[in-house]
Amino acid sequence: MEKILQVKDLELSFNTFAGEVKAIRGVNFDLYKGETLAIVGESGSGKSVTTKSIMRLLPEHSAEFKNGEILFGGRDLTKLSDKEMQKIRGKEIAMIFQDPMTSLNPTMPIGRQLTEPLLKHQKISKAEAKKVAIDLLRLVGMPKPELRMKQYPHQFSGGQRQRIVIAISLACNPQILIADEPTTALDVTIQAQILELMKDLQKKIDTSIIFITHDLGVVANVADRVAVMYGGKIVEIGTVDEIFYNPQHPYTWGLLSSMPSLDAADEKLYAIPGTPPDLLSPPKGDAFALRSEYALQIDMEQNPPFFKVSETHYAATWLLHPDAPRVEPPATVIERMKKFPGSRYYEGSRV
Amino acid sequence: MARYIGKRLIYMLITLALIATFTFFLMKILPGSPVASADKLSPEQRAIVEARYGLDKPLPVQYFDYMFGLAQGDLGISINQFKGANVTDVIQSRMGPSAQIGFQGMLLGTFLGILLGMIAALRQNTWVDYSSTLVAIIGISIPSFVFASMLQYFFALKLEWFPVALWKDGFMSSVLPSIALAMFPLATAARFIRTEMIEVLGSDYITLARAKGASGTEIAFKHAFRNALIPLITVLGPMAVGILTGSLVVEQIFAIPGIGEQFVKSIMVNDFSIIMGTTIFFSVFLIVVILIVDILYGIIDPRIRLSGGKS
Ligand SMILES: Nc1ncnc2c1ncn2[C@@H]1O[C@H](COP(=O)(O)OP(=O)(O)OP(=O)(O)O)[C@@H](O)[C@H]1O
Ligand SMILES: [Mg+2]
């Protein structure tokens, strides 16, 4: 498969009054053409900062690339000027955000907000842009699009606004769409509709999607692959099946155990103990070690490298080292692993 | 919208009646009478003068007489400042210069203030920003009489670019007073626009606009400016008050035959009808400004436009 974006050894810090916040501490991943890569992880793990650094939307005066590169179309995005980035933003890489209520300019008719990227990036007339904008609105399922072009954001519901934001982001058929928790602010039924819409549109325009979410249920629904982030790093990455049914990193185990399951309504919901690491002075070694009951001595001293589980599955935990002791994952995780061919608990009867 | 304005007009009338009532009784409580200053009069002569202006009648009667006249648009007759002249005529004849310097000052101040605030916000925490903040602080903290005197001293007396005082050289006479009046709106607008722009520039829709590929200038002018402008409209009222109070002093310093100058003198000579008339005139002016501000608000902000239209 064709790699469309490569993030290599990315390190990024914010220079603040309190000191250097090491928000991204060595992130590696590739994005393939046409796939959906979900990024999950708890609050503050660096999901938004990672994607915003791809778009170069972080505050210039405080955010600083420390290391690594972001390769896109043969160029390293970390090195481009803002002028050059303007030609990429909205045209080749587009983004949608969490809160549709605040994502649209309240004093500009949505028609103008829709035609803006078209007029900016494509050589078309205003009249043509308007036609395309109306088509886009129709595409995202907005009834009577001609009439709605002149209306302002406050005249739309939250779900409709997110549809408009999606229409804006898809205006120039971007190669990559970054969606930062696009459904978190919406209620469950609208959430499902928006997810369906995104899947539909992805097929139509063949775009790659980076999908940030807290909701593992959503991940199972939309993603092809999953990257699990913790403390400014990706700790495990693999296909959806690999992450859900053969997880290797203790943090992934924790995440999956804290996911409510339908058939176990009476189970107590698990919460990962402790708090995320302080990124002003991140711990040596595995950042999750202090919260993990599976931590080894070496976790406290040395940063684990990525260990290969399969061609598509990597995890950064010393537990995968040949010399590491064998530990038993939590019971719920073992239950999952029983269903996965290739896992050490596989029982052969996969559903 | 028409209904909304109608409702507002009724409130305005009530407000005015209350202001007139308060001012009337306050004036009566204050020591001194317009006639008392003419202490050369014998008691008989005094009584005659008092009778002529109705000052001998009981207070409630005087009050109702005044309010009745006011309701018909009659502000009474000047007692001693412009002996016997109709107060409405006096105000009308003096409105021109005041309106001119007030309008020029407001326009200049708001325009420069917006410019300064925008630049400060776009160059946040640079020397440009700090100097603009300094200008704003100076504009707010230096009283207009100090500023007016300084302008007069340097640009009229020393450099002789403009006339020192009096209203004899048309536009040239209006320049220094207008600049003196512009300081307050300038400082207010600069501070306001800076804060608002910084807030707006940090909002989600600006990030989305950047994600669409908009350039710095497009962000500032197409997306942020209008949104930052909305709250400025709310301080147009206080700015108008600033111009008004400023004009009392500035007209005095530049000896401009305007309403402010006349108002100050009328207080010194205790001319009851002029004081009342001018107070009411100023109140009408401010109340109308506030109404206009609210209507403007609706025009700029589509969210308010709509709900205003429905109610
Ligand atoms: N502008 C900034 N200045 C300083 N620190 C920042 C800035 N933006 C983000 N950070 C820090 O970077 C870290 C990662 O933040 P990020 O927004 O990427 O988290 P996230 O994974 O998206 O969390 P959430 O799920 O809550 O959205 C956090 O510790 C945050 O405090
Ligand atoms: Mg986030």
Side-chain angles (χ1 to χ4, degrees):
Chain A
M1 259 200 298
E2 187 191 337
K3 281 179 192 169
I4 195 162
L5 179 84
Q6 288 171 275
V7 178
K8 288 185 174 168
D9 300 322
L10 190 68
E11 284 174 39
L12 180 139
S13 293
F14 292 100
N15 300 309
T16 67
F17 287 119
E20 181 188 342
V21 178
K22 299 191 180 78
I24 304 294
R25 306 186 303 132
V27 162
N28 285 284
F29 69 89
D30 299 329
L31 183 69
Y32 297 99
K33 193 164 170 50
E35 76 161 342
T36 299
L37 171 70
I39 302 182
V40 298
E42 66 193 347
S43 198
S45 56
K47 307 181 294 291
S48 299
V49 173
T50 302
T51 49
K52 277 188 176 162
S53 68
I54 296 171
M55 281 287 257
R56 295 273 305 278
L57 286 175
L58 295 167
E60 298 256 306
H61 56 93
S62 65
E64 189 187 338
F65 286 115
K66 290 285 182 184
N67 189 23
E69 44 192 17
I70 300 171
L71 297 177
F72 173 73
R75 291 198 284 180
D76 180 0
L77 298 187
T78 64
K79 302 267 174 354
L80 295 192
S81 70
D82 197 57
K83 260 233 149 60
E84 292 168 306
M85 276 313 294
Q86 282 166 24
K87 295 199 190 99
I88 292 177
R89 289 187 200 124
K91 182 173 179 228
E92 293 172 70
I93 309 179
M95 195 153 182
I96 51 187
F97 298 98
Q98 175 171 355
D99 191 354
M101 301 316 265
T102 55
S103 292
L104 292 166
N105 186 337
T107 59
M108 197 187 268
I110 61 123
R112 268 187 65 201
Q113 306 195 43
L114 268 161
T115 52
E116 192 183 11
L118 290 164
L119 294 169
K120 176 104 201 160
H121 298 299
Q122 296 175 354
K123 288 197 184 77
I124 56 172
S125 70
K126 273 197 171 163
E128 285 170 304
K130 224 177 121 183
K131 258 191 226 133
V132 178
I134 291 172
D135 287 343
L136 279 168
L137 281 182
R138 196 172 289 122
L139 189 70
V140 296
M142 184 74 69
K144 303 214 187 85
E146 297 86 354
L147 299 179
R148 310 221 74 175
M149 290 282 283
K150 284 200 192 68
Q151 296 187 330
Y152 290 89
H154 70 272
Q155 290 163 291
F156 296 86
S157 71
Q160 285 175 323
R161 288 191 213 186
Q162 200 61 306
R163 283 170 194 269
I164 295 167
V165 175
I166 291 173
I168 291 175
S169 70
L170 296 181
C172 300
N173 294 328
Q175 301 184 48
I176 301 176
L177 174 64
I178 297 171
D180 193 344
E181 306 191 38
T183 56
T184 310
L186 302 170
D187 72 53
V188 186
T189 40
I190 308 291
Q191 228 177 58
Q193 290 172 9
I194 296 285
L195 290 178
E196 278 315 303
L197 174 71
M198 288 184 66
K199 281 202 279 188
D200 247 32
L201 294 176
Q202 182 179 26
K203 270 186 224 126
K204 272 187 200 146
I205 68 168
D206 194 27
T207 179
S208 310
I209 298 182
I210 298 178
F211 196 108
I212 297 178
T213 178
H214 281 119
D215 188 340
L216 290 173
V218 171
V219 174
N221 187 355
V222 299
D224 301 307
R225 290 194 305 138
V226 187
V228 181
M229 274 196 90
Y230 183 81
K233 287 182 181 188
I234 290 180
V235 295
E236 184 160 7
I237 186 165
T239 64
V240 170
D241 279 351
E242 285 165 340
I243 298 295
F244 274 72
Y245 296 106
N246 193 25
Q248 300 297 320
H249 197 285
Y251 178 65
T252 316
W253 294 346
L255 269 189
L256 289 168
S257 312
S258 56
M259 178 182 175
S261 63
L262 287 178
D263 47 279
D266 46 6
E267 255 176 61
K268 218 177 109 210
L269 211 55
Y270 173 80
I272 301 171
T275 53
D278 175 12
L279 296 177
L280 274 170
S281 51
K284 244 177 28 180
D286 186 343
F288 188 60
L290 293 172
R291 298 169 70 184
S292 168
E293 53 187 292
Y294 306 99
L296 309 172
Q297 188 54 41
I298 190 167
D299 277 320
M300 307 293 173
E301 284 147 24
Q302 232 175 316
N303 198 15
F306 260 132
F307 289 94
K308 183 170 166 182
V309 183
S310 78
E311 271 317 308
T312 48
H313 187 184
Y314 294 83
T317 166
W318 285 117
L319 291 178
L320 290 175
H321 191 275
D323 296 341
R326 266 175 76 102
V327 299
E328 291 273 300
T332 51
V333 172
I334 293 178
E335 279 309 306
R336 291 171 168 275
M337 289 167 107
K338 284 179 183 167
K339 300 171 190 164
F340 191 82
S343 97
R344 58 184 210 245
Y345 298 96
Y346 182 52
E347 287 176 344
S349 57
R350 189 165 182 243
V351 262
Chain B
M1 195 65 178
R3 250 188 78 190
Y4 170 73
I5 294 178
K7 211 162 83 184
R8 288 293 302 266
L9 282 173
I10 294 173
Y11 286 139
M12 283 164 64
L13 289 179
I14 297 173
T15 315
L16 258 186
L18 287 176
I19 291 175
T21 307
F22 275 121
T23 323
F24 183 92
F25 288 105
L26 272 177
M27 291 300 307
K28 292 296 175 189
I29 292 168
L30 285 180
S33 108
V35 195
S37 55
D39 43 343
K40 289 173 194 92
L41 298 181
S42 67
E44 294 79 25
Q45 286 170 312
R46 224 184 121 141
I48 292 169
V49 178
E50 282 191 348
R52 184 147 102 231
Y53 294 103
L55 297 174
D56 54 342
K57 291 185 199 162
L59 204 55
V61 178
Q62 284 189 39
Y63 171 69
F64 283 109
D65 278 354
Y66 189 85
M67 293 304 275
F68 191 68
L70 184 62
Q72 294 169 314
D74 179 7
L75 291 176
I77 286 173
S78 166
I79 301 173
N80 53 12
Q81 195 185 0
F82 304 92
K83 278 221 168 53
N86 202 318
V87 174
T88 319
D89 293 341
V90 172
I91 291 178
Q92 241 164 34
S93 72
R94 292 196 152 233
M95 236 165 77
S98 296
Q100 190 184 343
I101 60 168
F103 188 70
Q104 286 176 181
M106 185 85 172
L107 215 64
L108 181 74
T110 321
F111 179 74
L112 289 181
I114 290 174
L115 200 70
L116 211 61
M118 282 281 280
I119 295 172
L122 293 176
R123 295 273 172 278
Q124 203 186 336
N125 298 332
T126 62
W127 65 270
V128 187
D129 184 16
Y130 299 136
S131 15
S132 125
T133 309
L134 190 71
V135 171
I137 292 174
I138 290 175
I140 285 191
S141 50
I142 294 191
S144 47
F145 68 88
V146 175
F147 198 69
S149 318
M150 271 167 30
L151 286 174
Q152 193 178 42
Y153 180 77
F154 286 110
F155 295 101
L157 274 175
K158 290 278 150 187
L159 295 170
E160 297 185 9
W161 290 355
F162 300 100
V164 176
L166 295 176
W167 193 253
K168 295 231 163 69
D169 301 279
F171 176 70
M172 289 308 268
S173 294
S174 76
V175 173
L176 292 183
S178 302
I179 294 176
L181 285 181
M183 278 316 277
F184 183 74
L186 187 153
T188 315
R191 269 193 335 173
F192 230 85
I193 289 287
R194 179 183 182 273
T195 323
E196 279 308 315
M197 272 301 274
I198 288 174
E199 161 127 23
V200 166
L201 286 174
S203 59
D204 287 356
Y205 58 85
I206 294 295
T207 314
L208 187 75
R210 284 179 65 204
K212 286 197 257 179
S215 69
T217 350
E218 284 168 328
I219 297 284
F221 292 97
K222 264 169 79 179
H223 290 275
F225 186 53
R226 190 183 173 120
N227 290 294
L229 210 56
I230 293 169
L232 181 71
I233 297 174
T234 55
V235 290
L236 280 181
M239 269 156 55
V241 174
I243 291 268
L244 227 162
T245 48
S247 76
L248 300 183
V249 188
V250 170
E251 287 181 10
Q252 208 64 237
I253 289 174
F254 290 98
I256 295 168
I259 299 179
E261 192 244 21
Q262 154 227 309
F263 190 40
V264 174
K265 285 216 176 105
S266 71
I267 293 171
M268 296 197 281
V269 298
N270 251 316
D271 191 328
F272 174 79
S273 351
I274 295 277
I275 299 175
M276 278 296 290
T278 315
T279 309
I280 287 165
F281 174 77
F282 280 164
S283 313
V284 172
F285 170 73
L286 285 179
I287 290 173
V288 169
V289 166
I290 292 168
L291 178 70
I292 292 175
V293 163
D294 285 354
I295 295 173
L296 267 184
Y297 218 137
I299 292 175
I300 290 205
D301 191 336
R303 285 161 299 187
I304 295 177
R305 186 193 310 162
L306 210 85
S307 51
K310 272 183 203 152
S311 72

